[in-house]
Amino acid sequence: MTEAKQGAFHTGQYRNVIAEYGLASEQEAAGRLQDTWDQLFGENGDHAETRIYYEAGPDMGYLLDTGNLDVRTEGMSYGMMMAVQMDRKDIFDRIWRWAMTYMYMTEGEHAGYFAWSCLPDGSRNSNGPAPDGEEYFALALFFASHRWGDGEGMFDYGRQARDLLRTCLHKGEDGVGRPMWNPDNKLIKFIPNCEFTDPSYHLPHFYELFALWAYPEDRAFWREAAQASRAFLKTACHPVTGLAPEYAFYDGTPNHVRGFGHFFSDSYRVAANIGLDWEWFRADPWNVKEANLIQAFFADKDPADLRRYTIAGEPFDEPALHPTGLIATNAMASLAADGPHARRAVELFWRTPVRTGNRRYYDNCLYFFAMLALTGNYRIWMPSGS
């Protein structure tokens, strides 16, 4: 078997890095994962200082951006991915019902997409969509379809996923609206109405699966999108530091509009995505090099003094807004890294608790994904019989 065929998609085997490094037994790691879920989703006690999930009425729930006091497609789609990985259909369905009730747009230029920000009462702050929510919604729905089976209406998960992906690609072909991926270069946009991107939105490991499960006429596009995103990330990540900007042009150069051309909050997710892409598919050894570079850059940084950086590594006076999230994503890069800093990054994460306070939402989302991945529980759910 070649190295390219050793990813979990091909083997069905997922690394428990926590146990590999001797930081905990498999049973202890599973307990820590469950405790993290409880802290974020408010189970087994209130967990008021750490929770980000709240129930709404008898059959709905939402994840709250505790710093901005709104509900975002980012968090809702993340919550669905977390719930399907934890086998919590009840929570998954509550979140999906809320998203479909309040966020899903049925008219106007964005019909078929989800409004990216709403208030907790369901009223919309914006009628614009954000593509990172749509791609997480789609894969979470596919996983739900495969793990639990399809229901009816909005709970026909597989059909909902395929329809959403079709909208993402073909929106605007009738002259109304725009697609979420550029049809020529196959790269995801920051928003449909612009022609630049966000490196942390690039999820080639998702697109590999979309190429299997989307409507047949769209599958070739997703295969090409996976290749295009892997190639794009090589241009967006700095060759010495490994750092990526928050916004970038299609050629990978930083887009400095409103100061988003530097390494800051969105950028953290690139390390996590690189790690998970390698864990699932092992399609490009560059992921290993990139993970090593990122971890080497942060190896001599005080965790209490993380900052905004240029992608060349020059620090700003501005401290990191989400340091716990950065620690988590750097640890998740250890799914790919084979350098001298891989273990240290995981050890630092393992010692770090979930975040409390008003800014906890984004940090704790990234924290939970890292806990899933590093305990071997961020899994590809295949159709039954596969």
Side-chain angles (χ1 to χ4, degrees):
M1 181 179 290
T2 64
E3 183 177 58
K5 298 299 184 183
Q6 290 178 353
F9 174 81
H10 303 282
T11 67
Q13 302 298 311
Y14 295 84
R15 293 176 61 200
N16 186 332
V17 177
I18 300 299
E20 280 181 28
Y21 287 168
L23 302 177
S25 67
E26 291 190 3
Q27 183 177 3
E28 289 167 338
R32 177 77 174 269
L33 174 63
Q34 182 61 51
D35 179 67
T36 305
W37 167 271
D38 292 344
Q39 291 188 69
L40 272 56
F41 284 77
E43 300 190 313
N44 300 329
D46 185 45
H47 299 296
E49 288 299 307
T50 56
R51 72 182 301 179
I52 56 176
Y53 169 77
Y54 300 86
E55 292 191 350
D59 57 5
M60 289 192 281
Y62 59 85
L63 276 76
L64 179 70
D65 181 332
T66 54
N68 295 291
L69 299 180
D70 67 345
V71 180
R72 303 184 171 202
T73 52
E74 169 194 74
M76 296 294 277
S77 60
Y78 282 4
M80 288 166 57
M81 182 62 78
M82 296 171 189
V84 73
Q85 296 295 343
M86 294 296 288
D87 198 18
R88 289 299 302 267
K89 185 177 185 297
D90 56 331
I91 302 295
F92 185 101
D93 286 350
R94 280 178 171 272
I95 297 171
W96 180 233
R97 188 189 297 274
W98 201 102
M100 287 294 289
T101 299
Y102 297 120
M103 295 178 139
Y104 186 68
M105 293 178 282
T106 58
E107 57 186 17
E109 67 171 313
H110 297 310
Y113 293 148
F114 291 81
W116 78 275
S117 173
C118 293
L119 293 175
D121 66 5
S123 57
R124 292 179 190 162
N125 290 322
S126 169
N127 285 316
D132 60 328
E134 267 71 0
E135 57 187 350
Y136 265 88
F137 277 137
L139 190 59
L141 287 163
F142 278 131
F143 285 171
S145 173
H146 302 161
R147 189 164 198 187
W148 301 318
D150 291 322
E152 298 181 354
M154 75 173 71
F155 300 112
D156 186 349
Y157 306 123
R159 181 179 63 80
Q160 293 285 350
R162 288 187 288 273
D163 286 352
L164 179 56
L165 291 180
R166 181 166 58 190
T167 300
C168 288
L169 297 190
H170 299 290
K171 187 73 173 173
E173 291 178 354
D174 62 355
V176 180
R178 294 177 175 82
M180 287 187 164
W181 271 258
N182 180 292
D184 299 319
N185 61 32
K186 312 297 190 295
L187 298 179
I188 190 171
K189 303 178 184 181
F190 176 66
I191 56 173
N193 296 23
C194 77
E195 290 299 337
F196 64 89
T197 188
D198 179 325
S200 75
Y201 284 14
H202 289 257
L203 306 174
H205 46 304
F206 283 29
Y207 312 153
E208 295 273 12
L209 300 175
F210 295 165
L212 299 176
W213 304 328
Y215 286 120
E217 61 269 25
D218 294 332
R219 293 175 184 176
F221 181 97
W222 292 115
R223 285 192 293 271
E224 294 176 22
Q227 297 174 352
S229 278
R230 290 188 178 115
F232 165 79
L233 287 169
K234 292 178 183 178
T235 68
C237 297
H238 193 275
V240 176
T241 66
L243 303 183
E246 292 193 287
Y247 296 175
F249 295 108
Y250 291 141
D251 64 0
T253 57
N255 180 351
H256 288 286
V257 61
R258 301 197 313 278
F260 286 96
H262 302 299
F263 179 86
F264 204 51
S265 302
D266 270 21
S267 310
Y268 304 170
R269 296 180 293 199
V270 172
N273 298 338
I274 291 292
L276 194 62
D277 184 26
W278 183 253
E279 171 73 354
W280 283 5
F281 286 100
R282 300 205 175 185
D284 191 337
W286 175 84
N287 289 32
V288 178
K289 176 184 177 181
E290 167 64 11
N292 288 340
L293 288 176
I294 294 172
Q295 291 184 341
F297 176 78
F298 285 103
D300 64 352
K301 306 293 185 293
D302 183 346
D305 191 35
L306 297 171
R307 299 182 169 275
R308 183 193 294 267
Y309 303 92
T310 67
I311 64 169
E314 299 165 358
F316 289 82
D317 289 336
E318 182 180 5
L321 192 59
H322 300 289
T324 299
L326 180 52
I327 288 168
T329 55
N330 286 347
M332 196 164 159
S334 292
L335 292 169
D338 63 1
H341 309 295
R343 181 187 179 101
R344 176 187 176 277
V346 175
E347 289 175 339
L348 175 60
F349 167 70
W350 191 246
R351 296 194 307 268
T352 301
V354 298
R355 188 171 180 180
T356 61
N358 292 341
R359 286 291 179 183
R360 66 187 181 273
Y361 150 80
Y362 186 65
D363 295 81
N364 289 351
C365 284
L366 300 184
Y367 188 101
F368 190 79
F369 281 137
M371 190 65 72
L372 275 173
L374 295 170
T375 59
N377 289 288
Y378 202 155
R379 301 190 174 191
I380 301 167
W381 294 93
M382 300 289 289
S384 59
S386 295

